[in-house]
Structures are given as structure tokens and as C-alpha cells.
Amino acid sequence: MRTDNAPVVRLSEYRPTDYAIDTVYLDIRLMPEASSVTARLSISRRDGAAAGTSLDLDGDGLVLKGLSLDGMGVADEARTVTPDRLTIHAPPADPFVLEIVTTLNPSANKALMGLYRSNGVYTTQCEAEGFRRITYFLDRPDVLSVYTTRIEARKSEAPVLLGNGNPVTAGNITGTDRHFAVWHDPHPKPPYLFAVVGGDLDAVHDSFTTASGRVVKLAIYCEHGKADRCAYAMDALKRSMRWDEERFGREYDLDVFNIVAVSDFNMGAMENKGLNVFNDKYVLVDPQTGTDQDYAHVEAVIAHEYFHNWTGNRITCRDWFQLCLKEGLTVFRDQEFSAQMRSRPVKRIGDVVALRQHQFPEDAGPLAHPVRPETYREINNFYTATVYEKGAEVCRMLQTVLGEDGFREGLDVYFQRHDGDAATIEDFLACFADATGADLTQFSLWYEQAGTPAVSVSHDFDADTQTLTMTLRQSVPETPDGKTKKPMHIPLRFGLVGPDGQDLSYGEVSGGRVNDDVIHFTGATATLTFSGVTARPVPSLLRGFSAPIRLEDDLCANDRFFLIGHDSDPFSRWEAAQQIALTMLTDATAKLRQDETPAFDPRFAEALGGLADNDGLDPAFRALALTLPGEVDIAQAIGHDVDPDAIHGARQALLKETGSAIGTLVSEAVSRNAPPAMFRPEAEDAGRRALRHASWNLSLASEPAASKQIAEAYSQAEYLTDRVAALRLLVHHQSGEAESLLAEFYDRYRDNPLVLDKWFAIQATAPGGQTLERVEALTAHPAFSMATPNRVYALIRSFAAANPTGFNREDGAGYRFLTGVIATLDKDNPSVAARLATGFRSFAMLEDSRRAAAQAALQALSATGNLSRDVADIIDRTLDDSSINA
Ligand code: BES
Ligand code: ZN
């Protein structure tokens, strides 16, 4: 295991390698316990590097078995070898070939990085620094090479042998039970995109003809017995390929595109060139084993990894600080794809919900970092909501600032100028600046400054002069880097909603730049004056959530109710309701902490009823409107001295009151908008099902007897999405039916790991302190295993990240449970352990006794002293939080 002796890596210290590796030939002989890897590297000195400069190759736990340079042995004194490094002290002046033989044990690889074997399948995961677990290499993204891979295995063990690029040859090795396959990838690529797969796999096949007429063979490989669940993923792949041609002019560039779905995988999926490897939960769906959410995820993740072929693979990152260059942009692209496949406003609201739930808390806590960080100890810990989700928001803002056409022109320049490069954010922004003439200097602060900007707006309307004055103020909160923040370029898409609900026009605007209904707010403050406003408007700011900020406007409740009913922007209608709810919920939480009874404005339920009842609105949108802000959002809004029990109580109280007021009306709307009996994954049907589930939630909150009807719905359910929704509600409300249905569900799905994960997660997220005992008991369940990341995420991460009342139990037992699991898991799989450790990221916000208990648990874990670099990095940064040490 790598322990923490590595120095901090700094962006400012970047320099290119002294040597280039032009071609790589790998011969990989797969054996369960002793695989061997022969790497033949053609190496040349880069311009500017002095002759004789030592060649320093990265390794990670490697065993060297052979070494030669231009066919000759390398004397002991001419080299230094450790498991983590191979140094050739004075390489020749001319290009040379280095041949390295290493051996490794794929079955013992529990970290699931590098080459590992699980469920009998050999797989690799090389991003970010896993290639060095396979062979010694310059394992960094700016070392681009052309790879040829020969894979060999026992035929019965691994009839399928896959590599990057196109297949070249394959055959039996006569006189043995082994066979081989050779793959060649003509596109130079960084080592993190390398992959091989070997196993006894089933497959579905298809093909795709690109815009220019190239026929691409498509295949999705999976474990036997699972191929009948690959159809939707294949369909999503073909739609992604077409979409990238139509929207961005990007065609696929190899003869084959293979996807392999494996059941043990740390992450969601990986974009290896021509050979994507997926966690099978993002491939396998059918009506009986996948929920609507699963379908949406499969579509999005398939698209995401496919889109990396251009944004990530053809153009990669110069160094890992530029991670958002590929991830933020690719998330933006997959969000746009899903928006077009489904409903744009519904997708946008869902993305904003996720951003607020994951990225805002990260940005407000000890793990905050810029979209492009400047230092790291462990790069694995920077695959974060900030790099991904905020990174995508920055791309979206770029599109808002430049317009869709300007954005597209800039991207075209980027693809043309940097194809085949390892690029930086500066390179990226320069393409947009050059294509459009825009000055993006201030905009680039979005990549440099951590923290969620806060924008406050007040407005004043003068009917006599028909002028509207708007005063804006922005600030970026303090973050762990201690940097002084500068004002940012914040694009605020807005409308002035008139008394009839139509947007009012306006004349001249002074005091700031306003273009196409976007305010470009660039100073610390601004006072905008709109002339020619003929009636008192309600300003609708931040339409479509045009910037990832916290907006504090001065609208009164009446204004917000008006926007719920009338705003032409669906996001803003939804947002107006969320803001009213948040205000009521923070007030109610405070009341509950004083042992007072909260009271809610009855107009809120009425307004939601108005939306639910409106058959002119998309049922999916109505379902979102009926979903109150989550407990994490409420905690964020409160910001300090947080009591998760009071928050939960407040939210349940509002849900109950809303259910009593409009439950009947909502269930009538559900009847009028029932989905067809037969399951179709289309967004329209999914929306109808979501509305039905939202209605169940309201009924159960206000009327415990509704559990009977929901249990009935469970039994009658024709497909999984209804069954899971019903079970979750009954378990979370501790209804009498819950236990027997949990048993029924277990029996029904005991042989389907992906569905069983839902069984674990539903129990782990049941609110209340008693859930900890349940979760602890489930860790001893025969179906639970710490070696399966999906299982760990389903039970442990769900508990820590999605069960505020359970995890933050007052006696601190939830914290001690989590640190115990982290310590155990860290020995085998540091990257999954580190992901669990982020469950503490908001602990400094908690009220004193919980905060002290969490801190004590973290300190005890830290004091054990033998943590992986991954976990130590997260724990140290979490404990360094200045707000607790002040
Ligand atoms: N490149 C990543 C996979 C990855 C993540 C490798 C972290 C190494 C460390 C891939 O493109 C990705 O982003 N996957 C996401 C899902 C995606 C839809 C956002 C994941 O795995 O969670
Ligand atoms: Zn990605």
C-alpha cells in the first residue's frame, strides 16, 4: 500500500518530461496469480533535455524480472530499481528501446487499480496513476504514445481478449491451452487510457455508420446471463454517437468500439480508448431490474464515456491539475445530451439539485478547492463534485457568455488546434477568445477561485419614471487556501415579469452590461438602471440557474408565489417554490429547537397544488415541484449550529401539512396522468411514474393509513421502479408493512446484486438513530462484502452521505462506525475508503456536541498513523478546517 511519503504536487512546478515514449509494445500474459508483462518502449530525448539526463520511470508495487536496453543487459550500477521507481542513470544519446519485464498478481489486487481479476475476469483501471502498477513508465497524461498490445491467456479461462484500438491478429498457441490477440491503437494516448480485458464474457453486438460512412462494430461485453440487459445501453451508445456528430461535428475514429461491464469497479465507468470499462450498474437495465433513475444514469454514463473520445482522449490533459478540462467539459456535454433526449427543464432542475447537494457542501467545507486545483497530495481525491459538476457549470456559463454559436466556434477551434495534444485550461480558453474576440481574463477566475459566490440583489421600481433600479453585490467566501478573492464574471439570465405574467420589455440599461437578457455582473457591486419599464415587474433572476452561485434577492413571499404561477422559465418557477420552502424550513427548524410548534404559510401548499393540478405541465416537472428541499440543502441554508434531527422534523412537518392540504388533488392528477401499463423507459412515462411516487410520499406523510395502499401498490407492481419507490417509502416511514416487504424483496432479488444493492441502500437511509444498529447488523449479512465497491457504497456511503439523522446520531456512534469501516477498508481499497471519508466534510457545521464527537472520531482514526495517502489526505484536510480550530 502506498503510504503518505509523497510530496505535495504543485501546478506551478509543472515541467515536461526529459524523454518521450514514442511507441509502446506490451505483451501481457494473463495468469490468475502470476501474470507477466513485457513492455518494449521506444524512447527518445526531448528537445531541450541534456544528453545523459537520467530516465526516471514510475512504478507502484512492481516486481522487476528483466531489463534490457537496445537488446543488452543493464549493469546494476547503471540503474536503480525499487517497487516504485526504475531509474536508468545515463541513457544513450540516440533513441533507444527499453525492455522491461514485470510480474504481478491480479487476484491479490484488492485496490482495483492496475490489472486485477475479479469474478474470474481480468480488467484494468489505469486512471489516474494505475498504469504504473502494470509496468514502469512515465505515468503522466502528457506522455503520449502509440500502443500495440498482445494479450495471452488460457483459452478456457479467457476466451475473450480485448485491448485498445483495432484488432490486428489472434490465434491459438499451438501445443498449449492458451491463445492470444493483438490490438493496435493508432492514436497516440496517455497511459491512463490504456486497458486490457480478458475473460469468459457474453456479448451483444451491433454496428454504427458514421456521418462520413465509416462502419464501426459495436459490442457490449458482460458476464454470462446478463446480456439480455444490455439493449438499452447499446441504444444509448448509438444515440450518443449520432448526437456528437450532429451537435458538435465529432465522429468516431476506430473500427470498433467495445464496452465491458464488470461487477467490481471502484468508479462509475472509464473511457479507455476504444475499450470503455463500466461498472455494470451503468450498463445493465431492464424493466424488472432497473428503476427509471437507473435508465437515466445508464444513458448519461454511456454518453459521458463515449464523449470523452474527443474531450479527453483525442485532446487530453497536460497534467492532472487540468482534470476539469476533460471532466467538466464532458459532464457538460452529457448533460446537454440528456437534456435533448429527455426534457431540458427537468434535466436542468435535476442537475441543479445534484450540484447543490454535492458540490455546494464541498465548496463550503474543508475540502473546498478551485475547479482547477493548484496543489494535491493524492490525485485520486480530486475527482470531485467541484471538478465535475462545477466544471460543467463553468462550461455552461462560457456558452451563456459567448452565445451558443460563439461557444461552438470556440470548441471547433479547440478540436482543430489541439487534436493530439495534452492541453491546459489556458489553451482551452484561448480558443474561445480567439474565435469570438472575447476577453476571458476575468472569466478564468472561475477556474482559480474556490467557494460558491454569493450575489445579493435589491431592486426598486419608480412608476413615475418607469425605471427599475437593481443593486447587485457579490462576494466569494473564504476557503481553506486562505486566498483573497476577486470579483468574478457572473452571468445572470433574467426576465422582468409583468403583472400579466408576460416578460416586460425594457429600454436603455445603464450601469452595467446587459445582453440578450443576461446581466454580465463583473464588479464587486453594480447598480443597473432599466428604463422604459411600463409596469411594476417581479425580477426573475438566475433563470436556468445561469451561474453556480447563492442568490439572495429581495423578493417578498408574494413575489415568489407570483413567479411560481407565472414565470416563463420553468427552472425559476421551481426555484421560487424551493426558496419559499427553504425559508419556512429554516424557520421551522429553529422553532423545533426551541420546542415550539412550527407554522407554515398555507399559500405554499396551495401553490404546489396549482402546479400539480396543471395538466399543461410535464408530470416530471410537477414531481420535482412536489419534492421539498433535501435535508442537506436545509443544513446548508442554516450554515452553522446544525441539528439534523430538528431539520428532519421540520421537513416532515411541512411534508405532512402539504400532504393534508393537497394529497387528494395530487392523487387525482396522478390518475389523470397514469403511465401506460407496459414499461417504457421514455422520459415521458418516467415522469408520470415520478409524479405517482411523489403522490405516495405526500399521502404517507399526512396519513399513515396510506401505507396499506402503498403496500398494495408494491404487490401489484409490474416493474422495479414502482416496487423500489413503494418499499423505500414504507421502510423510511417505519410502516407496519415494511419488514415483510423487505423480506419479500430480498427473496425475489437475492440473485441480482444490483437490485440487492437497493435493498441495502433503502435500509441504510431510513431516518433516525436506530438505523445505525440496522446498518451494523447488515455488515454481517451473508450478502454483504467489503470487497465489492457497489455493496460498500450501497450500505455505508448511503448511510454516511444520505442519512443525516442516522449518521449524525447524537451519541456520535455513527461517526465511530464510519471511521471503523474506513480503517478496515483502507488496508485493501484506499480509493473507496477515501470516498467514504468525505462523509465528514460538513462536520464543522454541526452543533457543538456532534461536532466534538465527529472530531474525536476523526482524530482517533488519524492517530492510528498507518493510513493510505488517499485517506490521510482527506482526513488531514478535514481536520485542518480553520473554522473548528479557530
Ligand atoms: N474518467 C472517469 C473515470 C475515473 C474517475 C477514473 C476517477 C479514475 C478516477 C470517467 O470518465 C468518469 O468521469 N466517470 C464517472 C461517471 C460520469 C458519468 C460522471 C464516475 O465514474 O463516477
Ligand atoms: Zn469522465
Side-chain angles (χ1 to χ4, degrees), residues 127 269 271 304-305 308 326-327 330-331 388:
E127 190 178 1
E271 71 266 25
H304 178 97
E305 304 310 337
H308 268 314
K326 73 177 179 83
E327 295 301 347
T330 304
V331 170
Y388 276 67

CSV table of all heavy atoms in Angstrom, one decimal, residues 127 269 271 304-305 308 326-327 330-331 388, ligand 2:
chain,number,residue,atom,x,y,z
A,127,GLU,N,-6.6,5.1,-14.9
A,127,GLU,CA,-6.7,6.5,-14.5
A,127,GLU,C,-6.8,6.5,-12.9
A,127,GLU,O,-7.6,5.7,-12.4
A,127,GLU,CB,-7.9,7.1,-15.1
A,127,GLU,CG,-7.9,8.6,-14.8
A,127,GLU,CD,-9.1,9.4,-15.4
A,127,GLU,OE1,-10.0,8.7,-16.1
A,127,GLU,OE2,-9.2,10.6,-15.3
A,269,ALA,N,-17.5,4.4,-14.5
A,269,ALA,CA,-17.0,3.9,-15.7
A,269,ALA,C,-15.8,4.6,-16.2
A,269,ALA,O,-15.4,5.7,-15.6
A,269,ALA,CB,-18.1,4.1,-16.8
A,271,GLU,N,-13.2,5.7,-19.7
A,271,GLU,CA,-13.2,6.0,-21.1
A,271,GLU,C,-12.0,5.5,-21.9
A,271,GLU,O,-11.6,6.0,-22.9
A,271,GLU,CB,-13.3,7.5,-21.3
A,271,GLU,CG,-12.0,8.3,-20.9
A,271,GLU,CD,-12.0,8.9,-19.5
A,271,GLU,OE1,-12.7,8.3,-18.6
A,271,GLU,OE2,-11.3,9.9,-19.3
A,304,HIS,N,-21.4,9.9,-21.5
A,304,HIS,CA,-20.3,10.6,-21.0
A,304,HIS,C,-19.0,9.9,-21.4
A,304,HIS,O,-18.1,10.6,-21.9
A,304,HIS,CB,-20.4,10.6,-19.4
A,304,HIS,CG,-19.2,11.2,-18.7
A,304,HIS,ND1,-19.2,12.5,-18.3
A,304,HIS,CD2,-18.0,10.7,-18.4
A,304,HIS,CE1,-18.1,12.7,-17.7
A,304,HIS,NE2,-17.3,11.6,-17.7
A,305,GLU,N,-18.9,8.6,-21.2
A,305,GLU,CA,-17.6,7.9,-21.6
A,305,GLU,C,-17.4,8.0,-23.1
A,305,GLU,O,-16.3,8.2,-23.5
A,305,GLU,CB,-17.6,6.5,-21.1
A,305,GLU,CG,-17.9,6.3,-19.6
A,305,GLU,CD,-17.0,7.2,-18.6
A,305,GLU,OE1,-16.0,7.7,-19.1
A,305,GLU,OE2,-17.5,7.5,-17.5
A,308,HIS,N,-16.0,11.4,-24.1
A,308,HIS,CA,-14.6,11.5,-23.8
A,308,HIS,C,-13.7,11.2,-25.0
A,308,HIS,O,-12.5,11.6,-25.0
A,308,HIS,CB,-14.2,10.6,-22.6
A,308,HIS,CG,-14.3,11.2,-21.3
A,308,HIS,ND1,-13.8,12.5,-21.0
A,308,HIS,CD2,-14.8,10.7,-20.1
A,308,HIS,CE1,-14.0,12.7,-19.7
A,308,HIS,NE2,-14.6,11.6,-19.1
A,326,LYS,N,-11.1,17.9,-19.2
A,326,LYS,CA,-11.9,16.8,-19.8
A,326,LYS,C,-13.2,16.4,-19.0
A,326,LYS,O,-14.2,16.2,-19.6
A,326,LYS,CB,-11.0,15.5,-20.0
A,326,LYS,CG,-10.7,14.7,-18.7
A,326,LYS,CD,-9.8,13.5,-19.0
A,326,LYS,CE,-9.4,12.6,-17.8
A,326,LYS,NZ,-10.5,11.7,-17.4
A,327,GLU,N,-13.1,16.5,-17.7
A,327,GLU,CA,-14.3,16.0,-17.0
A,327,GLU,C,-15.4,17.1,-16.9
A,327,GLU,O,-16.6,16.7,-17.2
A,327,GLU,CB,-13.9,15.6,-15.5
A,327,GLU,CG,-13.0,14.4,-15.5
A,327,GLU,CD,-13.6,13.1,-16.1
A,327,GLU,OE1,-14.8,13.1,-16.4
A,327,GLU,OE2,-12.8,12.1,-16.3
A,330,THR,N,-16.9,17.3,-20.4
A,330,THR,CA,-17.6,16.1,-20.8
A,330,THR,C,-18.9,15.9,-20.0
A,330,THR,O,-19.9,15.5,-20.5
A,330,THR,CB,-16.7,14.8,-20.6
A,330,THR,OG1,-15.5,15.0,-21.4
A,330,THR,CG2,-17.4,13.6,-21.1
A,331,VAL,N,-18.9,16.3,-18.7
A,331,VAL,CA,-20.2,16.4,-18.0
A,331,VAL,C,-21.1,17.4,-18.6
A,331,VAL,O,-22.3,17.1,-18.8
A,331,VAL,CB,-20.0,16.7,-16.5
A,331,VAL,CG1,-21.3,17.0,-15.8
A,331,VAL,CG2,-19.2,15.6,-15.8
A,388,TYR,N,-16.0,18.1,-11.4
A,388,TYR,CA,-17.0,17.6,-12.4
A,388,TYR,C,-18.2,18.6,-12.6
A,388,TYR,O,-18.4,19.1,-13.7
A,388,TYR,CB,-17.6,16.2,-11.9
A,388,TYR,CG,-16.7,15.1,-12.3
A,388,TYR,CD1,-15.4,14.9,-11.7
A,388,TYR,CD2,-17.2,14.1,-13.2
A,388,TYR,CE1,-14.6,13.8,-12.1
A,388,TYR,CE2,-16.4,13.0,-13.5
A,388,TYR,CZ,-15.1,12.9,-13.0
A,388,TYR,OH,-14.4,11.8,-13.3
B,2,ZN,ZN,-15.4,11.5,-17.2
